[in-house]
Amino acid sequence: MHYVRDRETARDLLQDGFIKVFTKVGTYTGQGSFEGWICRIFVTTALEYLRAKDAIKQSVSLEDYPEAGEDLQGNVLDKLSADELLECIGKLPRGYRTVFNLFAIEGYTHQEIADMLGISVVTSRTQFMRARNLLQKSVQSLLEQEDARGK
């Protein structure tokens, strides 16, 4: 669900990932953690799907990026549940969400993301900055809605 919004597609990708794990388990060399090896298979499966759907735009230029929005005040994590935060991330456009997940959640570098997605490092950084900006606006809007309801 980190990479696609549709639950059925996420289930299909999960199944595809498990099939790859079971068919390729003999290729695991023991270098690195087994968990990391499995994680890489699932991330790659999701990225292959997104690439096939042309979900990752490669024509983003750093010069097109507007100045970053205002920083959120207060500790957002104290005010939002994990589900609310994941919902905000899920609303990001596919390409932005993909780069955001790979960088902020999975911990890949922009160079690694660029290599995986076949994009430039500048595009990866730009999409991450745009994703972060949109996420900040989405979270701010959600917080304002909750404040208006008296939470």
Side-chain angles (χ1 to χ4, degrees), residues 90-108:
K91 291 178 182 177
L92 292 171
R94 223 183 237 181
Y96 293 176
R97 184 175 64 243
T98 300
V99 171
F100 183 85
N101 282 323
L102 288 170
F103 184 79
I105 296 174
E106 304 287 344
Y108 290 102

Side-chain angles (χ1 to χ4, degrees), residues 101-138:
N101 282 323
L102 288 170
F103 184 79
I105 296 174
E106 304 287 344
Y108 290 102
T109 67
H110 286 295
Q111 182 63 57
E112 291 170 322
I113 294 168
D115 293 343
M116 284 190 286
L117 302 180
I119 60 176
S120 72
V121 173
V122 171
T123 298
S124 177
R125 287 184 179 153
T126 301
Q127 289 198 1
F128 175 74
M129 289 188 311
R130 287 184 175 185
R132 188 177 63 191
N133 191 34
L134 287 175
L135 186 58
Q136 286 175 337
K137 289 177 183 177
S138 179

Side-chain angles (χ1 to χ4, degrees), residues 58-90:
Q58 298 183 21
S59 61
V60 179
S61 151
L62 189 60
E63 290 80 32
D64 294 338
Y65 183 72
E67 290 297 318
E70 297 177 10
D71 288 342
L72 295 175
Q73 293 184 4
N75 188 348
V76 172
L77 297 178
D78 291 339
K79 298 177 183 179
L80 289 180
S81 71
D83 287 339
E84 290 171 318
L85 189 55
L86 287 175
E87 182 180 329
C88 290
I89 293 169

Side-chain angles (χ1 to χ4, degrees), residues 3-4 9 13 16 20 43-58 94-95 98 116-119:
Y3 295 95
V4 294
T9 302
L13 292 173
D16 292 347
K20 287 180 183 180
V43 168
T44 301
T45 301
L47 295 179
E48 287 170 351
Y49 170 81
L50 293 173
R51 200 174 295 118
K53 296 292 181 185
D54 195 31
I56 302 166
K57 304 294 184 219
Q58 298 183 21
R94 223 183 237 181
T98 300
M116 284 190 286
L117 302 180
I119 60 176

Side-chain angles (χ1 to χ4, degrees), residues 21 33-45 106 108:
V21 166
S33 72
F34 187 65
E35 178 183 298
W37 180 79
I38 290 174
C39 182
R40 181 67 180 227
I41 288 175
F42 281 100
V43 168
T44 301
T45 301
E106 304 287 344
Y108 290 102

